[in-house]
Amino acid sequence: GLKILVTIGYFIPMVVMGIKRMHDFDLSGGWIALTFVPLAHLVVYGMLLFRPGTGGANRFGEDPRGLPDAISMVRKEHD
């Protein structure tokens, strides 16, 4: 009873955060399904933990850190 509710209470937010991290890499949230594949989950979790997201905006929106990417900065300087 309670154990199942606690597990669901942790599972759903973890999946949502994983999907948001995938969006940081400009990848579909569906890639989070790889976390259920043995051995592939190690690569995915390593990417989620250590890989920086794309710099600047991507197809999922603006960079939440508000830091412009280097390419955009150089383009603005030459315009």
Side-chain angles (χ1 to χ4, degrees), residues 3-76:
K3 186 176 180 178
I4 292 172
L5 289 175
V6 171
T7 301
I8 291 171
Y10 279 107
F11 179 75
I12 293 172
M14 291 301 292
V15 169
V16 170
M17 291 305 296
I19 290 170
K20 288 183 178 193
R21 271 303 274 153
M22 288 296 180
H23 288 176
D24 287 345
F25 308 130
D26 202 22
L27 294 172
S28 167
W31 284 96
I32 201 70
L34 287 176
T35 60
F36 300 105
V37 177
L39 297 180
H41 76 283
L42 298 173
V43 174
V44 173
Y45 282 131
M47 184 175 79
L48 292 175
L49 289 171
F50 301 113
R51 182 179 169 200
T54 56
N58 62 26
R59 65 186 168 135
F60 296 102
E62 293 294 323
D63 186 346
R65 296 174 299 170
L67 301 173
D69 65 325
I71 295 172
S72 296
M73 291 173 62
V74 171
R75 285 184 184 155
K76 287 179 184 176

